[in-house]
Amino acid sequence: MNENSKESPDLVQLSEAEKKRLIRSTRRTDLRRIIGALFVIYGVLVTIMGIVDPATDAAKTGGLHINLWTGISMLVAGGLFFLWDKLAPVPEEDIVASAESVEIKKAEGEGKLG
Amino acid sequence: MLLADASSGIRLSLSWVDYLMLFLYFATVLAIGIAAKRKVKTSMDFFLSGRSMPAWITGLAFVSANLGATEILGMAANGAEIGMATLHYYIVGAVPAMVFLGLVMMPFYYGSKVRSVPQFMLRRFGKSAHVVNSIAFAVSNVLIAGINLYAMAIIIEAMLGWPQWVAIIVSAGFVLLYITLGGLSGAIYNEVMQFFVIIAGLVPLTIVGLHRVHGWSGLKESLMHTEGVSRLHLSAWQGTGIGDVTNPIGANWLAIVLGLGFVLGFGYWTTNFTEVQRAFSAKNMSAARRTPLIGAFPKLFIPFIVVVPGLIAAATVGNQFADGSLTYNEAIPKLIQMYLPNGVLGVAVTGLMASFMAGMAANVSSFNTVFTYDIWQEYIKPKMPDDYYLSVGRWITAIGVVVGIATAFLAAQFGNIMTYMQTLFSFFNAPLFGVFILGLLWKKMTPAAGLWGYIAGIVAPTIVWIAYLNNESLFGSATAETMYGAIWSFVAVIVVSVVVTLFTKPKPVEELKGLVYGIGTLDMKSDVVAGDAAWYRSPALLGTGALVLCVLLYLPFL
């Protein structure tokens, strides 16, 4: 089972335009942006709850304005996700490598490699 | 005042804002599934994310896959019932195993290019052991998914008032959607998102809880005045002397270290494909090795937002646990009900929902891989084009979820039998570690020894368990029984494997390249990328750091 397959599959060559499009579309839906957006929206909602009705907060928690604190923390966390995404985007070669190795992955999926 | 609103079950009153957050969460789950779908072109993309994931994602998914509903609620329940001894499940019972996986075992797993843990069994020990392992894994995972689904439905019914079948269908339905669409990437990306939402829900709960009991010292103070709680609840190691066990965990330190830490911990974290699969999806050897090591750090801090709330519940509503009006599993929902105002309440409920789905998705996404590659491709329909296996994967995901749902409804009918089955399944992992570690170190160990050692390792703890069911005085607690059962399982594996090896024929050495320590060389560097060499990405450093933290975190709770 472990003989290295001689007819090893080739990489698919992508044109520059295809690569560009692939990189752009992959980065647009980066997981960090999705989580960041969710946290920012939650943060806004929770902060508003804290501003609108601070008395209920304090009554339930024994004096802690937990909605305000949690809301602001989630806003900051959401912002950090966006910052992280901006500072360290997914490397271009990772995105391209995955697309170019389609044939290799097919062979591996068929149990022909390894 | 503290107990003023601690009556009337765990029903929550959600406002429209809380429901809006729940709705946004479900929408995000689907969006992630759809985004992941665009990258699914081959069966490898579907089952192993095309081996393309960066280490921070696989590392967080590694922890999150284990953060299921039964885990969070169950560990908080342990916190309320046995106290800080629950830390053992997070420290000695998890982190050494994760470090061992990253430093020692992952090079064999990832380097041999196997697509699943059962496939490693196949390479090292041949078909008989592989068949038993694959079927045991596939069957137990689907049924565990169903049993957890039921556990979740009970809690959701109690918290939100949804009928059980609505809770089951909604959460199973979403898991089905995002896995059939995005495959393992859909599951993993969601696990990472779920991880952060779970944290965002549990941190405020812990803060408010601690504030309510006047901080850590106040918590200690009020625990001392709680019925059935002693100083030993605040300590992880006191009362675990051999022959002098007074700790509520009911086991001595040797059983904790060997049973929980060595056999159960290593069995679960190093050979359970549900976990290890996350590392298999990493983009290269370096990222695969770092997966469990990165996961170890959040793992070490989770007890502070799970076990501590359990202790807070023991201190504040201990009387309700004592008189039976509240079960220990309801510790976290009860605190949510008592302490969280609308707003944060929505985040916490969403966090619990996220943990329910993370656990189930992890079971389903590892089940479909083992079923397709190890059972269907290996024994039923080999040599088909890749597209065929991709579509088998999607179909079997749907079938697996449906069987899971059916199991959940069965569990609702026969609750007790299901608890027994769950215990039975827990016997499948521990022996796997014994078989693998012996097989990794000892090139003479034969295929027959692998098979019979594995089976003996399942049978031995089953016998111990049945003996315990018949005579409960054998062990200090059910928890202690699992630790001793695990030790017996390991002993059975080693003894039977050695004996069988003496009488059977080993595999030729050239077939063991890359599967046994010291035979052939493991290629650790061929796929390095820029940045892997950074000092903070060194597996040895990360592993050592995690182990040092283990010791440090025990110190305040000796």
Side-chain angles (χ1 to χ4, degrees), chain A residues 44-55 57 65 67-68 72:
Chain A
V44 169
L45 288 173
V46 174
T47 311
I48 291 176
M49 290 298 279
I51 294 171
V52 170
D53 194 1
D57 266 35
H65 293 280
N67 269 329
L68 217 50
I72 293 169

Side-chain angles (χ1 to χ4, degrees), chain B residues 249-274:
Chain B
I249 207 165
N252 62 43
W253 63 270
L254 199 65
I256 294 173
V257 171
L258 284 184
L260 178 68
F262 185 59
V263 186
L264 288 175
F266 278 64
Y268 180 85
W269 294 100
T270 68
T271 63
N272 185 349
F273 184 53
T274 306

Side-chain angles (χ1 to χ4, degrees), chain B residues 311-434:
Chain B
L311 282 170
I312 296 171
T316 52
V317 291
N319 55 335
Q320 296 187 48
F321 293 134
D323 70 18
S325 57
L326 208 61
T327 67
Y328 284 112
N329 273 329
E330 293 169 329
I332 283 190
K334 186 68 192 176
L335 292 188
I336 292 179
Q337 179 209 44
M338 291 195 303
Y339 295 150
L340 293 188
N342 294 111
V344 198
L345 176 67
V347 181
V349 171
T350 309
L352 278 189
M353 195 68 91
S355 92
F356 294 146
M357 292 167 69
M360 177 176 184
N363 285 322
V364 172
S365 61
S366 55
F367 155 77
N368 63 15
T369 306
V370 166
F371 183 89
T372 307
Y373 281 155
D374 288 288
I375 298 175
W376 200 258
Q377 185 179 69
E378 193 66 36
Y379 299 108
I380 298 173
K381 278 235 170 227
K383 299 200 169 76
M384 297 294 278
D386 187 65
D387 292 350
Y388 171 81
Y389 297 116
L390 175 56
S391 90
V392 170
R394 290 209 155 104
W395 277 106
I396 197 63
T397 304
I399 294 169
V401 169
V402 170
V403 175
I405 291 175
T407 312
F409 283 109
L410 272 180
Q413 303 292 317
F414 312 100
N416 275 331
I417 298 176
M418 291 297 163
T419 325
Y420 289 143
M421 282 176 68
Q422 203 170 12
T423 316
L424 261 179
F425 295 149
S426 68
F427 300 150
F428 291 169
N429 269 318
L432 211 48
F433 171 67

Side-chain angles (χ1 to χ4, degrees), chain A residues 42 60 67 94 105 109-110, chain B residues 21 45 283 344 377 386:
Chain A
Y42 275 18
K60 256 214 142 159
N67 269 329
D94 280 8
K105 286 189 285 189
E110 288 163 3
Chain B
M21 285 195 259
D45 294 327
K283 66 180 179 183
V344 198
Q377 185 179 69
D386 187 65

Side-chain angles (χ1 to χ4, degrees), chain B residues 511-534:
Chain B
E511 281 179 33
L512 296 176
K513 270 188 196 138
L515 303 172
V516 176
Y517 191 77
I519 299 186
T521 46
L522 289 167
D523 191 358
M524 312 274 273
K525 297 270 181 248
S526 69
D527 58 0
V528 289
V529 294
D532 278 354

Side-chain angles (χ1 to χ4, degrees), chain A residues 84-96:
Chain A
W84 181 13
D85 174 69
K86 192 154 182 67
L87 293 180
V90 186
E92 291 187 6
E93 57 271 23
D94 280 8
I95 300 170
V96 175

